[in-house]
Amino acid sequence: MSLTQPATRLIVAAFLMDFAIGLAGLGFIELAIALHASPLVLGRIGTIGGLAYTLGCLVSGRLSDRIGRRRTVFAACLSVGLAWSAYGWVVRPEQILYILPIAGFGMAFFWPPVQAWLAELSAAGGKVELHRNIGRFNMFWCAGLLGGPVACGYLWSYSHSLPFVVAIATAVLLAGIAWSTPRRAAGQPALAEEPTEPAHPQADLFLRLAWAGNFASSLAMGTVKTLFPKLGDTLGYPPELVGWLIASIHGGQILLFYVGSRTEIWHYRLEPLLLAPLLGASGMAVAYYTSSPLWFALGFAASGMCAGVTYVGSLFYSLHGHAADRGGKAGLHEAVLGSGLLLGPLIGGKLADELGLRAPWLLGAGT
């Protein structure tokens, strides 16, 4: 991989954005806990950003189909960084509810356009190149989400401002990367001249099954990432350990992304989409019963492996064979993801407030 290649720049940008999201996301949760937020407020904090993200994804992909990927992504990076910069004015946890919708809406104008942009840069190589680039893309963004919470744990222990400062600087860097990345690779044909492949006869079935799995997995992940810091705090876990345990979700995802990138055998096969939810439910059940950091890590990793299967299937089936409306399909893929991230903290926060901090893991297992 060379940074002179436009596709590689987008893959690196995916890592940087999710690293910044991991920093700022956990940073706002830790900030809310430090300001004595209740589980219900924490759930609302997780929900409000997911709502804005979901709504934004419904329009961002189609907008980028019209005005271009580069302009959309550039504006998204600046708006996210600007929203995060408001952390310094927060003195009550409820004030975070005004910041995160802006950040979430901005993120919605980053991910679907970047995914569609990557598919366009992969078009000349057909399904093989799309498969390879999606594999790299998924491993890199997931590595960013793995490293972000871990880094946040250490930076937060040193200074409560550092996670936000680093996240903001990263967003500015990303704006520069977006603006300097060519719209198309050298010698790449225009959209109307791209090679086409025949659609799979059951392509719509696989797309809808993958979207359903993507929703369930994101609901469980949103619950864990929003509410586990509170449970970890009551168990006496330091912020560094909480960061590592949340990162174990993405460790499981990366493992599945790597395996999926090495083979195409899973393309248009039902077994992975039907068996993955059983693995995810098992992981959430383990998290419900344990108080051991090791078993939390194993349970969250199992759930992350489930999410890896459903996410890569949802993204691949959304982009493959949809040259005319890649942005729109990528937007729907991310809107499904965002709706799970929205509802997980909302329902999980209510369950935690009424039934105890472990109740949300049953929600994750049930979905």
Side-chain angles (χ1 to χ4, degrees):
M1 289 176 34
S2 170
L3 287 176
T4 60
Q5 299 175 351
T8 301
R9 293 188 191 181
L10 295 185
I11 291 168
V12 172
F15 167 82
L16 292 173
M17 177 55 89
D18 264 347
F19 182 81
I21 290 172
L23 277 173
L26 184 56
F28 278 114
I29 295 295
E30 294 288 1
L31 179 59
I33 292 172
L35 295 172
H36 309 292
S38 69
L40 187 58
V41 171
L42 290 176
R44 289 173 179 169
I45 287 172
T47 298
I48 196 70
L51 175 61
Y53 182 77
T54 300
L55 295 176
C57 285
L58 294 174
V59 299
S60 64
R62 290 187 175 91
L63 179 65
S64 73
D65 285 337
R66 291 188 171 190
I67 71 172
R69 318 297 185 199
R70 184 162 63 182
R71 291 178 182 175
T72 310
V73 173
F74 175 78
C77 296
L78 292 182
S79 64
V80 169
L82 184 63
W84 287 339
S85 67
Y87 81 93
W89 284 271
V90 173
V91 294
R92 293 182 292 108
E94 292 80 8
Q95 291 174 320
I96 298 173
L97 298 174
Y98 299 103
I99 297 173
L100 295 187
I102 302 172
F105 197 73
M107 291 172 202
F109 286 79
F110 179 87
W111 289 110
V114 162
Q115 291 162 356
W117 197 355
L118 183 66
E120 288 173 355
L121 294 171
S122 309
K127 186 174 77 169
V128 173
E129 188 169 351
L130 177 64
H131 169 86
R132 181 172 59 248
N133 282 338
I134 283 179
R136 292 171 177 169
F137 178 83
N138 287 337
M139 286 189 286
F140 269 66
W141 73 250
C142 197
L145 272 186
L146 188 155
V150 173
C152 179
Y154 288 100
L155 294 175
W156 181 266
S157 298
Y158 184 77
S159 167
H160 292 184
S161 296
L162 271 180
F164 301 105
V165 171
V166 175
I168 294 164
T170 303
V172 174
L173 172 62
L174 280 165
I177 292 174
W179 196 253
S180 64
T181 299
R183 295 182 178 88
R184 293 185 176 274
Q188 184 176 349
L191 179 62
E193 301 170 350
E194 286 183 8
T196 58
E197 301 178 43
H200 190 278
Q202 293 182 302
D204 286 343
L205 170 64
F206 281 93
L207 179 59
R208 282 160 177 73
L209 283 175
W211 279 353
N214 194 23
F215 168 79
S217 296
S218 63
L219 186 145
M221 283 202 303
T223 302
V224 170
K225 294 171 76 172
T226 302
L227 298 172
F228 180 72
K230 184 70 171 181
L231 177 60
D233 187 57
T234 64
L235 292 173
Y237 293 173
E240 299 92 332
L241 179 57
V242 170
W244 276 108
L245 292 176
I246 291 176
S248 65
I249 300 173
H250 302 298
Q253 277 187 301
I254 288 177
L255 176 61
L256 260 295
F257 288 157
Y258 175 77
V259 172
S261 71
R262 306 298 293 179
T263 177
E264 299 178 24
I265 194 173
W266 56 270
H267 289 182
Y268 298 103
R269 292 177 66 96
L270 288 173
E271 293 88 344
L273 295 176
L274 297 178
L275 294 176
L278 298 178
L279 180 62
S282 300
M284 287 291 97
V286 168
Y288 176 78
Y289 285 106
T290 191
S291 294
S292 163
L294 174 60
W295 284 104
F296 272 126
L298 293 174
F300 291 162
S303 297
M305 293 169 69
C306 167
V309 173
T310 58
Y311 182 91
V312 73
S314 177
L315 180 58
F316 178 81
Y317 298 133
S318 296
L319 295 178
H320 183 244
H322 298 286
D325 62 341
R326 286 195 185 105
K329 284 293 191 296
L332 288 174
H333 154 78
E334 286 294 321
V336 169
L337 176 75
S339 64
L341 295 174
L342 184 161
L343 292 174
L346 178 66
I347 301 172
K350 185 69 173 176
L351 290 174
D353 212 41
E354 295 186 356
L355 302 176
L357 290 173
R358 292 183 180 273
W361 313 147
L362 293 180
L363 171 67
T367 55

